[in-house]
Amino acid sequence: MAVCEYGPRRGASSATKDEQRRLDAVRRYAVLDTPADPVFDKIASLAARVFAAPMAMVAIVDSDRVWCKAAYGLGDVGEFPRAAGAWSLAVAHDGPRVLVDTRADAGPVAGLLVPGQLDVRFCAAAAITTPDGHQLGTVTVFDTCPRRPADDQLAALQELAALAMDELELRLAALHTVAAERERRADAERLARTLQRTLLPPTLPTVPGLDTAAAYHPASLDEIGGDFYDLFPLDDGRWAFFVGDVCGKGADAAALTSLTRYTLRAAAIYDPDPRTALANLDTVLKGEFQGDFQRFCTAVFGVLDAGADGSFTVTLAGGGHPPALAVRADGTVEPVSTAGGQLIGLLPEPQFVQASTLLAPGDALLLYTDGLIEARTANGHMLGEEGLARHLSAHTPRGADHLLATVHKLFTDLGTGVSDDTALLALSVPPRRTPQLAQETR
């Protein structure tokens, strides 16, 4: 762990030349003042989840400002003046930069970390470094209380910074080949649609006593996404399901998605315990992609157990995935939280968190990937988990099909604010047929 401290400085002339070369690299990657991007939004949100921290940022350091490519939990942060201490030190240091407690630090970093009046007490920053050694900015997490991060958290933060750099490299290469890509766009669209269909079940099976519905909302017609879902029977009469999202897009993401779906199905046959299924997937991914830290995913795996009264007990385990939402018969919306569950295929010994809920007659459960909650509203803010819950509460969806129709209406309202693929799975228990309802339906 590298705690923030101040070492010897190079000569002014050398430092000035190095800074100019670094700024040239920033310009070369053409990232400043570009629109919001779901990949970098996801990196920021994943960084926050790894640390269980309330705030995170992907920032690029310009000559006189810090420009925020993505922010999580920081509100409408666009850019702010470059502080002489904090960000200069962050981009001129090898390895993670950590401030355990800003109030205990008397150096120039303390108090200069984020704009506004946020009472930041802790931060950890990993540099986004080009292949030729220039540090463009940082992936940084913040907290309002002092803390000492674990080594695996800092390692994951460095990998997320490397992932940000890899994404910038990919986009730079794309700029050089855009003319050829335009010529192949029509063929690419057809190929992507065909391949995408092979990664999802063509139809959902019929579950006795349960209504089910699923949907896939692609953000692009010519790019293969990595979001997935499935629902299938277990040998003991129960049913298993999962929803998840692999890192990246394109052919590599498609291959990882296929492996993930197959592995989870096979794991459920071997041992349907939700946490065990995710642990088996984690083992397979790390064995298949040794040393490749871009091959990871988030997922929630669940088991349905029907009760004699028509209800279903749902047991879920989550690995870095947004919480499922239980929509009760009275219209209230409750998160089924698996907070603390960590990314699958990335950390040495990840933890997976389990939760249970009861779906009584009239209740429904919505599972989704983070393209939905990371969509941006008209004011430019991300929808978020609370925004999704408010939307569902306001529309009181009834049944799985109606629930997905309500979410589809939300996608329509968000319009161009939706910039990442989303997979949806809805499960609902039909309401009990009272004598009056039975009479009305005759």
Side-chain angles (χ1 to χ4, degrees):
M1 180 186 304
V3 176
C4 190
E5 53 189 30
Y6 309 96
R9 303 176 108 181
R10 290 170 295 178
S13 176
S14 175
T16 300
K17 291 179 180 178
D18 287 349
E19 173 63 4
Q20 186 55 56
R21 285 191 285 267
R22 190 192 70 79
L23 290 172
D24 290 343
V26 170
R27 304 290 183 270
R28 182 171 74 246
Y29 285 92
V31 64
L32 290 170
D33 302 310
T34 53
D37 189 291
V39 173
F40 293 94
D41 289 340
K42 185 173 296 184
I43 289 171
S45 65
L46 288 176
R49 290 179 195 169
V50 166
F51 281 75
M55 297 170 284
M57 175 186 293
V58 178
I60 304 298
V61 183
D62 201 358
S63 58
D64 58 353
R65 61 172 175 157
V66 176
W67 182 76
C68 181
K69 178 61 177 172
Y72 178 92
L74 288 168
D76 190 15
V77 176
E79 64 178 60
F80 49 94
R82 174 178 171 177
W87 293 98
S88 299
L89 289 168
V91 299
H93 187 271
D94 293 328
R97 174 70 73 169
V98 176
L99 266 178
V100 173
D101 185 355
T102 60
R103 293 183 185 176
D105 191 295
V109 176
L112 298 175
L113 296 172
V114 292
Q117 304 301 316
L118 293 177
D119 184 21
V120 170
R121 296 288 301 277
F122 161 84
C123 80
I128 301 171
T129 306
T130 67
D132 53 348
H134 298 298
Q135 294 170 327
L136 307 180
T138 63
V139 177
T140 308
V141 293
F142 308 100
D143 206 341
T144 55
C145 58
R147 57 189 294 181
R148 192 171 291 276
D151 289 343
D152 63 344
Q153 291 175 314
L154 294 177
L157 188 64
Q158 284 187 285
E159 294 302 336
L160 290 172
L163 183 61
M165 189 65 249
D166 288 343
E167 187 64 26
L168 291 175
E169 282 287 322
L170 287 173
R171 289 164 194 240
L172 181 61
L175 290 175
H176 298 157
T177 58
V178 64
E181 288 300 316
R182 285 175 179 169
E183 296 177 0
R184 297 196 300 267
R185 183 170 295 274
D187 289 340
E189 288 182 3
R190 286 191 292 269
L191 176 62
R193 286 195 296 268
T194 301
L195 183 53
Q196 193 77 70
R197 285 195 295 268
T198 68
L199 300 176
L200 300 170
T203 59
L204 292 178
T206 300
V207 180
L210 194 71
D211 292 334
T212 64
Y216 188 86
H217 287 261
S220 171
L221 294 178
D222 60 353
E223 195 168 33
I224 305 163
D227 302 58
F228 57 89
Y229 60 82
D230 209 344
L231 172 67
F232 53 96
L234 298 173
D235 292 340
D236 58 6
R238 297 182 298 167
W239 291 77
F241 61 90
F242 54 80
V243 171
D245 183 7
V246 307
C247 173
K249 293 183 180 296
D252 288 343
L256 181 56
T257 299
S258 179
L259 174 64
T260 298
R261 286 191 61 220
Y262 171 80
T263 300
L264 284 176
R265 273 185 166 254
I269 294 173
Y270 174 72
D271 187 341
D273 175 76
R275 276 184 295 193
T276 301
L278 295 185
N280 285 333
L281 173 61
D282 179 74
T283 299
V284 169
L285 294 187
K286 286 188 288 196
E288 185 73 16
F289 303 107
Q290 294 182 23
D292 188 344
F293 294 101
Q294 296 185 56
R295 298 291 182 262
F296 62 89
C297 71
T298 71
V300 58
F301 184 97
V303 173
L304 293 161
D305 195 355
D309 61 351
S311 64
F312 281 81
T313 299
V314 182
T315 304
L316 299 172
H321 203 77
L325 294 177
V327 183
R328 302 303 181 186
D330 62 2
T332 59
V333 178
E334 304 170 359
V336 185
S337 178
T338 54
Q342 296 176 316
L343 302 176
I344 304 166
L346 181 64
L347 302 177
E349 296 182 2
Q351 300 297 312
F352 304 121
V353 175
Q354 189 161 299
S356 297
T357 191
L358 183 71
L359 293 184
D363 292 347
L365 188 71
L366 176 67
L367 301 106
Y368 55 92
T369 54
D370 56 10
L372 175 56
I373 57 174
E374 291 177 359
R376 296 188 178 269
T377 60
N379 59 14
H381 296 162
M382 284 192 288
L383 176 67
E385 296 163 10
E386 293 182 359
L388 174 58
R390 284 195 301 270
H391 178 83
L392 297 179
S393 296
H395 291 79
T396 317
R398 304 294 186 191
D401 288 330
H402 191 194
L403 182 54
L404 287 198
T406 301
V407 177
H408 178 72
K409 173 63 164 56
L410 176 59
F411 273 109
T412 301
D413 293 343
L414 291 169
T416 57
V418 180
S419 54
D420 195 11
D421 303 333
T422 299
L424 301 164
L425 178 64
L427 312 170
S428 66
V429 182
R432 290 191 179 94
R433 291 173 60 85
T434 63
Q436 179 180 357
L437 178 60
Q439 181 67 30
E440 290 174 353
T441 57
R442 289 180 182 173

